[in-house]
Amino acid sequence: MSGNKEEEDPRINGIKTKIRVVPDFPKKGIMFQDITTVLLDPKAFKDTIDLFVERYRDKNISVVAGIEARGFIFGPPIALAIGAKFVPLRKPKKLPGETIFEEYELEYGNDRLEMHIGAVEAGDRALVVDDLIATGGTLCAAINLLERVGEEVVECACVIELPELKGRQRLKGKPLCMLVEYR
Amino acid sequence: MFAVENGLQGDPRLKAISDAIRVIPHFPKTGIMFQDITTLLLDPVAFKHVVDIFVDRYKHMNISLVAGVEARGFIFGPPIALAIGAKFVPLRKPGKLPGRVISEEYELEYGSDRLEMSVEAVKSDERALIIDDLVATGGTLSASINLLERAGAEVVECACVVGLPKFKGQCKLKGKPLYVLVEPREFDDITLYN
């Protein structure tokens, strides 16, 4: 994992071939990395989860935070397999209880990510999960939310990285684990 | 049909699941007692019970496709799909899915919304399960059933963690059976974080 070709697990190529690239979505010039085609292949989906579970099961992770919405697909299976809590990080106004929020930049304007207060305890060791890392803005907001309540963010895990956007450098020094690069 | 009516009466897992759900009064508006499943997700044992009960029910029903309604259906659907060897198909708000999609409108209290599904999701002869966290009016699930049937799938059942009591017995949605684990919890002051 993490792009080291000599160590690449044979399951990774199977996952990579299932990712569908859709040009000009959601707008012209963007080559959209569609993971829904991975989910249509039970083996590829299972391999994706297994690769992350194998990495994290002995790392004493007590919280898996998933970023809405595609982080909700990958995060819970990982959390269940390693016995961790799952915490959804959501768009504004979706979470019903008391929340804290973190703003992050979009290409035009800002957006916010919210988390329930009291969801996690200070001192929990957390993993942040999303399907893809591009600029790293959303993941950075997620790390901030968790750190503000006293979590130790151990790592960020994504299926896909777009390395040219240098998102890895925006993770406040936290390591990134990814399965597939798209250049 | 509720789990207690179908072989799980007295199963302690159902109480653990119900106890783990938090009620938030007057969200998103006055009068609604919101059933918050995020507290269930903070309890790995109770969350696993939910998945185990659904997996036990569906693993021998030859389900090839699990469809989950955005966004909380994305939390419960994939673990079930993975355990039973089915594909997972996200049913999404408009404009989120790339490629060719079909869409179905459904009514809200004021106005309407739409649900979309990728046309590549369904091959022929699929047996589908639809998952969401909660069923109230059944509008979203009915739209989901329509999407899957329009694409040629056979919807075997709809499954939810929480359902209003009106779904007891043989109550069906568009002719499809519904399977629910627990009724909504009542609000009391101690249902905020334990």
Side-chain angles (χ1 to χ4, degrees):
Chain A
M1 294 206 280
S2 296
N4 184 335
K5 289 274 190 277
E6 289 132 291
E7 293 172 10
E8 190 169 284
D9 189 291
R11 292 171 287 182
I12 290 183
N13 195 57
I15 295 163
K16 183 170 186 146
T17 58
K18 292 294 174 181
I19 297 168
R20 174 171 71 150
V21 180
V22 181
D24 301 322
F25 182 89
K27 49 186 230 259
K28 230 169 148 24
I30 304 222
M31 300 296 278
F32 187 84
Q33 304 289 310
D34 181 18
I35 50 85
T36 64
T37 38
V38 176
L39 312 176
L40 294 181
D41 180 329
K43 179 181 185 319
F45 187 16
K46 183 178 186 306
D47 285 346
T48 305
I49 299 302
D50 286 349
L51 283 162
F52 287 125
V53 169
E54 286 161 21
R55 181 177 178 81
Y56 295 114
R57 64 163 39 114
D58 296 319
K59 292 213 161 59
N60 222 16
I61 305 282
S62 46
V63 169
V64 174
I67 297 180
E68 175 166 12
R70 290 181 289 261
F72 289 8
I73 295 173
F74 297 100
I78 297 169
L80 284 161
I82 67 176
K85 304 176 207 179
F86 178 72
V87 173
L89 304 181
R90 298 211 65 175
K91 304 285 187 199
K93 301 205 183 82
K94 303 291 185 81
L95 290 169
E98 253 192 285
T99 56
I100 54 172
F101 70 87
E102 189 75 22
E103 255 184 33
Y104 62 98
E105 273 177 34
L106 298 172
E107 193 178 3
Y108 301 109
N110 291 340
D111 204 345
R112 285 186 178 184
L113 208 56
E114 291 187 349
M115 182 174 81
H116 270 146
I117 290 176
V120 292
E121 286 145 22
D124 274 327
R125 283 166 56 80
L127 175 68
V128 183
V129 176
D130 206 356
D131 65 321
L132 179 146
I133 174 172
T135 62
T138 325
L139 282 168
C140 182
I143 294 168
N144 283 339
L145 280 172
L146 289 158
E147 288 191 329
R148 279 166 59 189
V149 297
E151 300 290 274
E152 179 197 343
V153 176
V154 174
E155 197 156 274
C156 295
C158 300
V159 181
I160 302 167
E161 180 187 12
L162 308 182
E164 282 154 8
L165 296 179
K166 300 185 169 31
R168 216 180 253 265
Q169 295 169 14
R170 293 193 57 186
L171 302 182
K172 305 186 65 176
K174 304 300 176 186
L176 171 74
C177 166
M178 61 84 203
L179 304 184
V180 172
E181 264 183 9
Y182 181 80
R183 293 185 179 273
Chain B
M1 167 173 51
F2 277 70
V4 288
E5 299 171 286
N6 192 41
L8 291 188
Q9 174 143 37
D11 189 316
R13 293 176 299 176
L14 293 176
K15 181 174 190 304
I17 291 165
S18 182
D19 286 349
I21 294 170
R22 174 171 73 148
V23 182
I24 305 282
H26 311 303
F27 182 90
K29 49 188 227 262
T30 309
I32 305 226
M33 305 305 269
F34 189 87
Q35 304 291 307
D36 179 19
I37 51 85
T38 66
T39 40
L40 171 66
L41 308 176
L42 295 178
D43 180 341
V45 171
F47 185 14
K48 187 168 188 302
H49 287 335
V50 169
V51 176
D52 287 348
I53 292 171
F54 284 134
V55 168
D56 283 341
R57 178 172 178 76
Y58 296 115
K59 65 188 178 200
H60 298 307
M61 283 198 191
N62 219 18
I63 305 282
S64 57
L65 184 161
V66 175
V69 181
E70 175 165 13
R72 289 182 289 262
F74 288 9
I75 295 174
F76 296 101
I80 298 166
L82 285 160
I84 67 176
K87 52 170 93 158
F88 178 71
V89 174
L91 305 180
R92 295 211 68 174
K93 304 286 187 197
K96 303 292 185 81
L97 287 168
R100 284 169 51 228
V101 297
I102 53 175
S103 84
E104 186 76 24
E105 230 178 65
Y106 62 100
E107 273 178 34
L108 300 171
E109 193 178 2
Y110 300 110
S112 60
D113 204 346
R114 279 203 334 222
L115 214 53
E116 291 185 345
M117 182 176 80
S118 169
V119 300
E120 336 275 278
V122 178
K123 305 281 180 248
S124 49
D125 297 330
E126 302 257 29
R127 284 170 55 80
L129 171 66
I130 303 172
I131 301 275
D132 204 355
D133 64 322
L134 182 142
V135 55
T137 63
T140 323
L141 285 175
S142 296
S144 306
I145 293 167
N146 285 343
L147 281 173
L148 283 155
E149 290 190 327
R150 280 167 56 193
E154 176 198 349
V155 176
V156 174
E157 195 156 271
C158 297
C160 297
V161 180
V162 188
L164 297 189
K166 69 182 181 186
F167 293 110
K168 285 189 176 156
Q170 292 307 304
C171 187
K172 291 198 174 21
L173 263 180
K174 294 188 58 76
K176 301 300 173 183
L178 187 55
Y179 185 73
V180 178
L181 299 188
V182 296
E183 291 186 40
R185 276 193 83 176
E186 309 266 312
F187 175 67
D188 57 70
D189 286 330
I190 60 171
T191 62
L192 301 177
Y193 286 115
N194 293 332

